[in-house]
Amino acid sequence: MLPSRFDYVAAHSIEEALAAKAQGDEDTRFLAGGQSLLPMMKLRLAVPSKLIDINRIDGLGGVERRNGHLRIGAAARHADVAASDAAFGAVAAAAPWISDPLVRNLGTLCGSVAHCDPEGDWNSVLLATGADVVARGPGGERSIPIAEFVQDMFANSLASDEMVTEVRVPVPSGRSGGSYVKLERKIGDYATVAVAGHLELGDDGRIAAAGLALTSVAPINLKVAEAEALLVGNQPGPELFAEAAELAAAAADPRDDVRGTARWKRQVVRTFTGRALAAAADQALKG
Amino acid sequence: MTAHTTTPPEIGGIGHSLKRVEDARLIEGQGNFLDDISLPGMLYMALVRSPVAHARINGIDIEAAMAVDGVLAVVTGELMAAHNLAWMPTLSGDTQAVLATDKVRYQGQEVAAVIATDPYIAADGAELVDVDYDVLPAVVTPQQSLDPDTVVIRDEKEGQTDNLAYEWECGDDAATAEAFARADRVVSIQTHYPRSHPAPLETCGIVADVNPVTGQATIYMTSQAPHAHRTLFAMVAGLPEQNIRIISPDIGGGFGNKVPIYPGYVVATAASLVIGKPVKWVETRTGNLISTGFGRDYHMSGELALTDEGRILGLRVDVLSDQGAFYSDAQPSRYRAGLFHVVTGSYDFPAAHITCRGAFTNKAPGGVAYRCSFRITEASYLIERLVQTAAYELGIDPADLRFRNFIQPEQFPYETPTGFVYDSGDYPTALRKALDAVGYEQLREEQAEARAQGRLIGIGIAHFTEAVGAGPAHTYDIAGLKMIDSAELRVHPTGKAILKLGVKTQGQGHETTFAQIVAEQLGIPAYDIKVEHGDTDHTPYGLGTYASRSTPVGGAATAVVARKLADKARHIAAHLLEAAVEDIEMAAGKLHVKGSPDQAVTIQDVALAAYTNLPEGMEYGLEDVTYYNPPNLTFPYGSYIVVVEVDPDTGVWKVERMVALDDCGVRINPMIVEGQIHGGLTEGFAMSSMQWITFDEDGNCIGSNFMDYLVPTAWETPRFELLETVVPSPHHPIGAKGVGESATVGSPAAYVNAVVDALAHLGVRNIDMPVLPDRVWEAIDSAAS
């Protein structure tokens, strides 16, 4: 790896990290797992002037339930999420599908979320589960709904002086289930197509809340609101899911590329949406 | 599997699955690879590569790069031209730019080189070299290339007025036409074997150390053929050959990628010569994938003439190969399309005719034999896809059609219509054994039941025959150098030995296998024999390791030289035992008088005597060297059967079974052979399922890193069930054939045949590699509509 020259700061507290960011220029970047940043630096596609390493900050890690939500700290690795008993539903289903074991051991969920790569898995999961991203800046902490956090391809809504400190996924009080169905060409590859599903059932067995989001088939991770609206208030079942799958296929905006034709990707969205919702319903009913 | 052995395990001759002696250092991270080499005062080189596929160079501004602290020189094509080194010959008689002077002809082509005091500074400098390009239209398909209106890519080449790289034909046109005239049925297939890349984990590199005082050039280089490279360096650079020492250290995979001489080697050597300091160049991953020797890229049309009963009468093949910007196939000089004419495969029929044309395109040059003996992979794929197609068209079971056409065991040696003489084989037994192992007849029933339920199961067969171990000097040379090989064996006074080889391991296990060949002949324990290879000052001449030639040629040389020493050992033993040499018998390291096993000496006793107590008039020492000119190639073969299930909703397919029977003659180290087969089956799976180098319409390479060029891991690789038969090569001293490439050659057709078989009832006959799920689903979808 032969990156361009850069400065390096190891922060020992969030305050120290934020101060370093404030002092740096616009090419100053935080370094957590580095699993997207370092390969880009290696190719000199990313040329940061300074890296602020946040790995030595106490308390930034952790995957735990707290105040009705699942908290995933900024330094928590994908592998921590995969190994956690606190993770549930779509989060638990997606974790083992993140890249490969080497990336999972170093890469962080929060880093992936902040990166806003539409081929990344986590933002679909967070969109389906209605999660919030917690950011800290000089003015304090704020909680940003994931749908507002994801602005565009590789663009989030953080201010230049803010850093992500954790992600909060609400834990449903009733019966719920989640899933992540992913097609990848090989382990470690980005998704060709992936679908995150999340269902909450009411006491009457009808769907009380639904989340559905798609990976790699649009310029951003795509929340399929039309399908979610269709699902809510209905009994889960194959015909309903097939209808939702059609809406998802229609909402997807895939491209022809080396992974396959757009037409086929739409078909995979259709198929996988059906499977993702069936798996989520199955989990909710068993749970 | 129990192998036949004649030596006890402690000697470890042929048939013993000895653990590889090289593994200890490789597994513990103690190997010595090119990038581990560091010399005092060493400088570092980075290449500037073209970002575009086709452009005229208006100028190169090196000022900003030279201004970087630590940059010592920026080498351009103009500077190389001043030393008459801007162009170099390729292994197929073409020329290739070392550093571009007039035009760039593919994305990634070498344009300039920056020499600096550390590798980071060299990379910084390379970024600052400012090349002014006048972009030209890119030619990205061979069909487009041969259109008369297309721009001439090789306009610098005297007499070149089009983009035709070569034309070649083979076989009997008239006899083939006659066969087709009397055929009941003609079955055809058009298929593209896509461009792939050997993608060794270690990229290419060099440390060139030219001593300005003595003129000695010590060149550490990732080379599969160090001796041939030494001679080529001498010829191209005009250096006296005695002053060139090429050392090929531990190599992290070659697969054909480290056969050619690349521009980076030449520039680094020239830089060291001019500057007088060692210069290191280690290619980046992207540099390796976008500029060095690729494999395949063959557009093939094949036709089989058949009777209604399924007898093949003749084969006609037309190939259009995409050569990239320079015709640089690494292949025997007599042939323009390698050994592609082995395309008649395992079948007995009288007539074949093959025509091949190569086209220049704005893509990287190469055409190396990626884990394959010179275009044999393409040939094997085509005939096995054709036979499968014929089976569907004739309504004959694909296994049955093969049985009806196999060359029979009693027909060996068998001369093919394209001129090979197959040495040995028993194809029907091999296929039958593989079919029984997979449970073929029952699987066909299960397939029919599954189809009735809407499930798609496919069974694919490939029965391949390879031609490996080039080769006899009367036919095979590369750049005029005959494809012989050598072994030098020295037995030391304490009975330990050193074996020096002309071939060069890149992970195949030579240090173990070749010691076992000596152990078999002399009875010296294999672990007492050091195997040296890769240093041209310390090993006898040879053409190197590729095309599965190490065991057929270098292994034969090893057996022969060991037998020479065994003969001398008998004479010494006769002297020590005071017996007649005719009465000395030798087995497992003991030499005894016939009929008196107690009257014996050991090979170690003999070794000491060779330096201390010889019969009158005998020369001291126990060493010799052999140059082996093989009488023929060897022809390993195999029967591979793949079972897949296809998801009709997505086109995703999964291998349920993979049964691979290989016959490579006598197996020297069965464990190493199985490891080679596992690797080859994995590469075959990769090419058939996911792996290709492709380009966009501007000639940008898609596949320039391991995110885009996919190498399967253990996770997606199927489980393999291995079988064997052993029909020895009749002409090889120990009956062995090459095996390193068999599975890469044979398996792609089996995987593809399996997927096509799953869809055959829908009328699907072909899906080109890589058989991506979208291609499968589109085939299902268009068959349905």
Side-chain angles (χ1 to χ4, degrees), chain A residues 8 36 45 56 76 95-96 100 140 176-177 181-182 206 235 246 284:
Chain A
Y8 171 88
S36 296
L45 295 172
R56 298 178 199 189
D100 59 33
S176 74
V181 184
K182 178 176 178 179
R206 289 174 192 275
Q235 288 284 346
E246 285 306 326

Side-chain angles (χ1 to χ4, degrees), chain A residues 1-5 39 42-44 47 97 100 119 183-190 192 257-265 267-268 270-272 275, chain B residues 119-121 123-125 127 284-286 647-652 690 692 694 702 705-708 710-713 715-716 772-774 777-778 781-782:
Chain A
M1 173 172 167
L2 301 171
S4 301
R5 188 173 290 274
K42 170 182 164 181
L43 295 170
R44 298 194 172 199
V47 187
W97 282 95
D100 59 33
E119 295 185 329
L183 179 62
E184 57 187 11
R185 297 175 300 176
K186 60 164 281 194
I187 192 166
D189 190 23
Y190 288 103
T192 299
D257 61 19
V258 285
R259 289 188 171 86
T261 62
R263 203 172 88 86
W264 165 76
K265 288 182 192 174
Q267 164 65 14
V268 178
R270 184 179 289 119
T271 305
F272 278 19
R275 291 178 189 176
Chain B
Y120 295 87
I121 293 172
D124 290 346
E127 274 198 307
T284 62
R285 174 67 55 201
T286 296
D647 178 349
D649 292 326
T650 61
V652 172
M690 62 176 78
W692 58 336
T694 187
I702 316 293
N705 56 56
F706 281 155
M707 275 169 60
D708 293 322
L710 304 182
V711 179
T713 68
W715 180 260
E716 43 277 321
L772 302 169
D774 69 314
W777 181 78
E778 297 279 359
D781 194 55
S782 54

Side-chain angles (χ1 to χ4, degrees), chain B residues 360-591:
Chain B
F360 291 120
T361 58
N362 290 121
K363 298 179 183 172
V368 298
Y370 164 26
R371 205 165 183 174
C372 142
S373 179
F374 314 119
R375 302 291 189 183
I376 280 187
T377 310
E378 294 90 318
S380 176
Y381 181 75
L382 181 66
I383 186 66
E384 287 306 301
R385 292 284 301 110
L386 254 178
V387 168
Q388 189 89 2
T389 307
Y392 300 133
E393 297 301 329
L394 270 62
I396 298 172
D397 180 272
D400 190 18
L401 186 64
R402 288 178 169 87
F403 282 120
R404 292 185 200 192
N405 288 285
F406 272 150
I407 298 162
Q408 296 300 310
E410 62 276 13
Q411 289 178 277
F412 290 92
Y414 175 86
E415 184 168 359
T416 73
T418 57
F420 289 104
V421 179
Y422 290 179
D423 56 350
S424 62
D426 181 349
Y427 301 159
T429 298
L431 180 55
R432 188 67 256 166
K433 194 170 171 181
L435 291 171
D436 289 346
V438 82
Y440 185 70
E441 283 73 18
Q442 195 191 332
L443 270 174
R444 284 288 175 206
E445 287 171 25
E446 288 172 19
Q447 180 187 39
E449 286 164 25
R451 276 179 185 169
Q453 300 160 11
R455 286 171 56 215
L456 301 173
I457 288 175
I459 306 151
I461 301 171
H463 186 101
F464 67 93
T465 296
E466 280 188 284
V468 309
H474 56 67
T475 302
Y476 296 96
D477 70 84
I478 286 184
L481 301 169
K482 300 295 187 184
M483 296 183 76
I484 48 84
D485 231 290
S486 65
E488 180 183 330
L489 181 59
R490 293 181 193 165
V491 180
H492 303 318
T494 56
K496 317 292 182 185
I498 180 165
L499 174 70
K500 296 158 173 264
L501 299 174
V503 293
K504 162 69 198 164
T505 188
Q506 309 124 42
Q508 293 93 337
H510 289 38
E511 292 173 26
T512 310
T513 300
F514 283 70
Q516 290 184 256
I517 297 173
V518 174
E520 180 75 18
Q521 308 299 331
L522 284 178
I524 297 172
Y527 289 142
D528 284 351
I529 301 161
K530 179 164 90 177
V531 177
E532 189 168 8
H533 53 93
D535 181 339
T536 58
D537 269 9
H538 291 171
T539 53
Y541 204 82
L543 266 273
T545 292
Y546 44 85
S548 295
R549 65 184 300 280
S550 283
T551 293
V553 193
T558 300
V560 169
V561 76
R563 284 175 189 173
K564 284 189 193 173
L565 297 201
D567 187 55
K568 184 168 185 180
R570 264 189 221 96
H571 281 85
I572 296 171
H575 164 70
L576 295 176
L577 295 168
E578 298 178 347
V581 68
E582 307 79 57
D583 291 337
I584 300 296
E585 290 187 336
M586 187 171 177
K590 285 217 162 57
L591 299 96

Side-chain angles (χ1 to χ4, degrees), chain B residues 127-170:
Chain B
E127 274 198 307
L128 293 171
V129 173
D130 187 12
V131 186
D132 180 10
Y133 294 107
D134 196 357
V135 176
L136 300 167
V139 182
V140 293
T141 70
Q143 294 85 357
Q144 177 195 359
S145 159
L146 294 186
D147 185 317
D149 294 333
T150 299
V151 58
V152 177
I153 296 167
R154 297 296 301 282
D155 52 353
E156 95 293 350
K157 218 172 140 86
E158 211 169 306
Q160 183 85 34
T161 56
D162 56 20
N163 288 321
L164 189 68
Y166 76 87
E167 270 184 300
W168 190 72
E169 71 175 303
C170 177

